[in-house]
Amino acid sequence: MTPDRQFRKECVIPVLKADIKLPIDLNKDYVPPDNSPPRGLNPAIEWIVEKKFSTENVHLVTFRGILKRMACAPFDRFLSHYCFRLTKVGNVIAMDEIETEQKRQINANMTEYEKMCTHHGKQLEKELLEEVGEMENNIMTTCKIGRYRCLVAAEVDGRDEEGQIVEMKANFELNHPKQRVNFRRGKLQSTFMQCYLAGIKRVIIGFRDREGILRSIKKYTLDEIEDECRHDWNKDFYMGFLERLLQWALPQVEEGHSFLMEYFGGNDITLTRVPYANHLPEIFRHHVDACKL
């Protein structure tokens, strides 16, 4: 799979600060995690319609985070739960996430420690990037996964001094060999797939201590991550699994209904037909039909 094109939506992507002084306290300005329901595809659909983007050869419109979680399911150490909704409009399948009772319970039962760790990731971006106000930093990327051409929406963190989009993550300091192994097999693997699916080639990871103090920063390219983790995982395995999952699910999706793909941890993935929820704007159907003329 190769992401072939990126399209930046109308937004201002914040740039990395030129002068970053460490250490930095990531605990400040604490804000509890926003556990509101997953955002729908409407912003991406509005972009497609506004830009008159041709969907004639597009099979799937979705978010990169959804594709990443699908691809990484075989090695999900946390036995996560997700529910994705697939709805066919003409030749295009729109796939978004819906909230389930199980997911609401998981969010409601987050510990204070887990909430603070989530905050550290957000605060890292705030501390390392120039402030540009409340803006959505979104891009759209086209890529091909097996036989399927996908249009993928991605919310991005920032860009470096060369204008390249960067993904930013917070992680605990690595003081023991086992921590380094878990880092390669967990954070680096997940971050790599998240970036790879959107064509993002640079990553910045901030390492914090147990008190939430940022102590060091390391910059990676995706090639460097892949080389460092070559004995731990192989992207071709994840992309192969994702391709097979799409080949299994997408042909089953029929117009007039929605289908729920649910993952319950382990290897259990189901696809269930449900009534169409009328959640997609009618203008999207008009646009898809017009692209076929």
Side-chain angles (χ1 to χ4, degrees):
M1 187 219 79
T2 304
D4 46 15
R5 295 185 70 186
Q6 280 187 355
F7 308 89
R8 294 191 186 184
K9 296 176 69 176
E10 302 301 324
C11 64
V12 177
I13 300 177
V15 66
L16 191 67
K17 291 179 180 177
D19 185 22
I20 300 172
K21 293 183 174 60
L22 301 179
I24 297 173
D25 185 359
L26 297 180
N27 298 299
K28 61 185 178 182
D29 301 331
Y30 173 71
V31 177
D34 178 10
N35 289 328
S36 56
R39 60 197 177 105
L41 276 169
N42 279 6
I45 289 174
E46 289 170 3
W47 180 87
I48 292 170
V49 173
E50 179 185 344
K51 298 298 181 182
K52 297 180 172 59
F53 187 91
S54 176
T55 57
E56 182 178 6
N57 297 313
V58 172
H59 302 99
L60 180 67
V61 178
T62 190
F63 295 106
R64 66 161 175 171
I66 288 178
L67 293 177
K68 184 207 72 169
R69 281 181 283 169
M70 292 170 62
C72 296
F75 286 104
D76 174 25
R77 297 182 300 141
F78 303 103
L79 298 181
S80 307
H81 172 259
Y82 59 62
C83 182
F84 302 141
R85 175 174 54 191
L86 296 85
T87 306
K88 191 170 187 179
V89 178
N91 58 292
V92 181
I93 293 175
M95 179 163 60
D96 59 356
E97 183 175 9
I98 63 173
E99 190 175 44
T100 63
E101 183 58 35
Q102 184 173 348
K103 187 68 173 179
R104 281 190 287 270
Q105 287 299 320
I106 292 172
N107 290 335
N109 293 331
M110 285 182 71
T111 65
E112 290 303 317
Y113 172 77
E114 290 171 331
K115 293 177 182 178
M116 185 58 75
C117 287
T118 299
H119 171 72
H120 288 165
K122 296 293 185 182
Q123 191 65 21
L124 176 73
E125 299 172 20
K126 185 176 178 181
E127 295 289 346
L128 300 191
L129 297 169
E130 298 287 356
E131 188 172 353
V132 296
E134 294 295 325
M135 295 285 292
E136 283 195 358
N137 308 321
N138 298 320
I139 62 171
M140 303 290 291
T141 300
T142 55
C143 64
K144 194 170 184 182
I145 302 173
R147 71 181 74 152
Y148 298 110
R149 180 157 296 280
C150 307
L151 182 59
V152 182
E155 184 176 349
V156 298
D157 297 330
R159 55 190 175 91
D160 62 17
E161 59 279 359
E162 298 177 7
Q164 295 294 313
I165 295 175
V166 293
E167 188 74 23
M168 307 183 72
K169 300 291 184 182
N171 198 81
F172 286 117
E173 291 179 302
L174 306 176
N175 298 318
H176 306 288
K178 187 174 181 180
Q179 290 176 328
R180 296 186 181 92
V181 171
N182 290 338
F183 174 66
R184 294 195 304 269
R185 294 179 179 177
K187 181 73 73 174
L188 284 185
Q189 179 266 336
S190 175
T191 301
F192 178 94
M193 292 305 301
Q194 187 176 13
C195 293
Y196 183 69
L197 287 161
I200 297 170
K201 300 179 180 180
R202 301 188 184 188
V203 175
I204 294 175
I205 296 184
F207 292 93
R208 66 192 188 280
D209 62 23
R210 291 293 166 177
E211 284 69 49
I213 306 301
L214 182 65
R215 297 295 182 182
S216 64
I217 298 169
K218 184 171 182 179
K219 298 180 180 180
Y220 294 86
T221 65
L222 283 203
D223 288 341
E224 289 169 344
I225 291 177
E226 190 170 13
D227 182 65
E228 182 173 331
C229 301
R230 64 189 180 279
H231 299 304
D232 298 284
W233 48 264
N234 186 315
K235 74 173 186 297
D236 294 336
F237 173 85
Y238 296 101
M239 293 307 302
F241 176 80
L242 176 59
E243 179 181 346
R244 291 192 298 274
L245 188 54
L246 294 179
Q247 287 175 348
W248 167 72
L250 298 193
Q252 299 185 57
V253 179
E254 308 164 346
E255 281 203 81
H257 298 85
S258 290
F259 286 73
L260 299 185
M261 179 188 291
E262 290 194 78
Y263 171 68
F264 300 94
N267 296 314
D268 190 6
I269 299 177
T270 63
L271 190 68
T272 307
R273 188 172 70 174
V274 296
Y276 175 53
N278 200 32
H279 59 285
L280 298 174
E282 190 62 26
I283 193 173
F284 182 52
R285 179 177 299 278
H286 297 328
H287 176 82
V288 171
D289 289 343
C291 289
K292 293 188 294 184
L293 297 178

